[in-house]
Amino acid sequence: MTRWRCAAATDIGLVRQSNQDAVYVDGALAVVADGMGGHAAGEVAAQIAVATVREGYYADESVEGLVAAVERANAAIVRDAKENPERFGMGTTLLAVAITYDYAGASSPTLVHVGDSRAYQLRDGALRQLTQDHSVAEEWVRLGRLTPEEAAVHPRRHQLTRGVGVEEEVAVDVLSIDALAGDRILLCSDGLSNELVPDELARLAGDPTDLEDAVEGLVAAARASGGHDNISVVLLEFDDVVPAAAPIHRTVTSAPPSAETIGRPRSPSRPRRFTGRVVLGVIAFFAVAAGVVALTHWYAYSSYYLADYQGAVVIYQGQPSGVLWYRPILLEATPYSMGELRPLDQRAVRATIPEPTLDAAKSYAKNLYHQWRLGVTSTTTTTTASSGSTSTTTTTGRG
Ligand code: MN
């Protein structure tokens, strides 16, 4: 029978205003969720994910039960966002390891994964990453477009290609963990893996004293290196492991089967040939698919808005809460700070002001600044120097 010892921690870090991560661990289940979305929505998404996976796994402790629990978490977050429009666009990563039982009652560890939270396996001081990040930059590394070093600093490294609660369907990576007694498994949010290089992760996660100390050491090191994001860590150490009788390594998509495959038994007749009609059908299919992608992309980035970014009035391209996996892009900073706007205008900017074009956004910001200047010069005689403009950035990030 597979058994582990465990420790976990989650920490707000040094920069963020709230902790949108959630963790859970017990003797048979470990979960890390890194939520995203403004107005506390990220927290809600992460918490729904953890609670739903926990409930679903304990209702059915099989691999199928674990995957179904992730699909249920996806549906629960989508539903919550529909009922609470202020949470539109929220989502979460989801990483879980659980001891699953097969039909014969044998138990073995299984991992399920969506997003860019990571699982590593540690054996004899060596660290191996078990999960692949579902982020734009990492997908490009797998396609050979970027080197891992380029990806580590790429502006799109935080842009997820998959998340839980983002769309009606979710694709889940499922993996049997092949471990030996004494192996450790480290689960973490990107707030840990972005701060520490793999050598440091290996050294700290392998700390032989005890699991709690190792977890504390990891969190402290991530804070010491900047603590730019919420930091979540789960550490498992196997006492005893039974490897899966039939190891799994695949991606399961919750998309419903197409009508084609449902009630139409395929005739065992002559071998199929590519006729002109089939080729045309395939071309039409890809043309429509490309059209849908292009249209979504266009919609996602068709508009601009003014917003407050750390006290500066900035211009974003995109929809404030994002569209699917297209997050808004911080296009450029205007020369004006929030302090150079009238209080009422400050409030409006904080709530974001949409504009159809970049020029319209710029001139609107300028207009707001002049409104404030009029008020200032009519009450005092001093003139204020506008603060130096911040350099243009093209960073995308989680809301
Ligand atoms: Mn994070």
Side-chain angles (χ1 to χ4, degrees):
M1 171 164 168
T2 302
R3 266 195 309 258
W4 67 47
R5 294 182 302 117
C6 55
T10 183
D11 187 276
I12 191 169
L14 298 171
V15 175
R16 297 294 171 92
Q17 302 294 311
S18 62
N19 191 348
Q20 303 204 327
D21 285 2
V23 294
Y24 174 79
V25 72
D26 64 24
L29 175 68
V31 190
V32 171
D34 177 352
M36 60 211 112
H39 307 287
E43 271 167 272
V44 172
Q47 265 147 31
I48 292 176
V50 169
T52 312
V53 166
R54 192 178 152 191
E55 201 178 299
Y57 165 71
Y58 280 109
D60 177 359
E61 298 169 42
S62 66
V63 172
E64 293 73 22
L66 186 61
V67 173
V70 177
E71 289 169 352
R72 218 168 302 150
N74 188 73
I77 295 166
V78 167
R79 195 178 332 116
D80 185 276
K82 272 183 193 151
E83 287 162 7
N84 302 279
E86 75 276 12
R87 295 206 277 269
F88 174 81
M90 71 173 164
T92 182
T93 73
L94 185 51
L95 172 63
V97 174
I99 296 174
T100 52
Y101 292 81
D102 66 16
Y103 63 91
S107 63
S108 61
T110 304
L111 179 150
V112 284
H113 160 63
V114 180
D116 67 353
S117 299
R118 288 183 177 176
Y120 297 90
Q121 185 166 1
L122 196 70
R123 179 182 298 175
D124 300 331
L127 192 74
R128 188 166 70 99
Q129 191 176 327
L130 295 175
T131 51
Q132 296 191 323
D133 293 353
H134 302 134
S135 69
V136 173
E138 290 297 325
E139 309 260 4
W140 283 354
V141 170
R142 290 196 281 281
L143 289 170
R145 285 179 63 182
L146 289 180
T147 65
E149 293 73 29
E150 287 167 334
V153 294
H154 197 275
R156 296 181 76 178
R157 69 186 180 281
H158 298 308
Q159 201 177 338
L160 294 188
T161 50
R162 279 197 230 167
V164 170
V166 181
E167 290 176 84
E168 300 284 343
E169 264 86 50
V170 65
V172 185
D173 286 1
V174 189
L175 180 74
S176 299
I177 296 179
D178 183 11
L180 298 174
D183 282 6
R184 286 184 177 182
I185 301 286
L186 167 68
L187 308 181
C188 64
S189 62
D190 63 341
L192 184 79
S193 49
N194 283 337
E195 299 290 2
L196 303 178
V197 297
D199 282 351
E200 280 177 287
L201 288 177
R203 187 174 58 79
L204 294 164
D207 180 350
T209 48
D210 77 355
L211 291 176
E212 255 98 35
D213 287 351
V215 165
E216 256 172 52
L218 285 161
V219 171
R223 288 175 65 99
S225 101
H228 298 91
D229 193 3
N230 307 142
I231 308 152
S232 294
V233 184
V234 175
L235 205 52
L236 308 174
E237 185 178 292
F238 288 103
D239 287 336
D240 192 13
V241 201
V242 181
I248 303 166
H249 188 169
R250 62 164 182 259
T251 302
V252 179
T253 308
S254 62
S258 67
E260 178 80 12
T261 57
I262 290 177
R264 248 217 262 147
R266 211 197 269 164
S267 58
S269 60
R270 62 195 160 83
R272 296 229 215 145
R273 280 185 306 163
F274 270 90
T275 62
R277 218 195 282 176
V278 171
V279 172
L280 274 181
V282 168
I283 291 171
F285 172 83
F286 280 107
V288 169
V292 169
V293 170
L295 203 67
T296 311
H297 189 276
W298 170 82
Y299 169 69
Y301 292 122
S302 62
S303 136
Y304 298 81
Y305 63 92
L306 291 169
D308 168 17
Y309 181 76
Q310 296 177 350
V313 180
V314 299
I315 300 169
Y316 278 89
Q317 183 178 12
Q319 310 293 339
S321 41
V323 177
L324 299 179
W325 53 85
Y326 300 109
R327 314 312 303 172
I329 298 166
L330 177 52
L331 217 52
E332 59 179 83
T334 67
Y336 319 114
S337 70
M338 289 295 283
E340 292 170 317
L341 302 183
R342 294 176 303 179
L344 209 65
D345 294 333
Q346 288 183 22
R347 209 186 301 167
V349 169
R350 253 178 235 121
T352 75
I353 300 173
E355 288 294 333
T357 66
L358 180 58
D359 283 338
K362 279 182 184 170
S363 63
Y364 197 88
K366 195 173 173 184
N367 190 24
L368 293 181
Y369 169 72
H370 283 297
Q371 295 289 335
W372 173 80
R373 276 291 295 272
L374 281 176
V376 172
T377 46
S378 66
T379 52
T380 68
T381 49
T382 50
T383 50
T384 343
S386 124
S387 65
S389 76
T390 346
S391 61
T392 307
T393 54
T394 52
T395 331
T396 63
R398 309 248 185 95

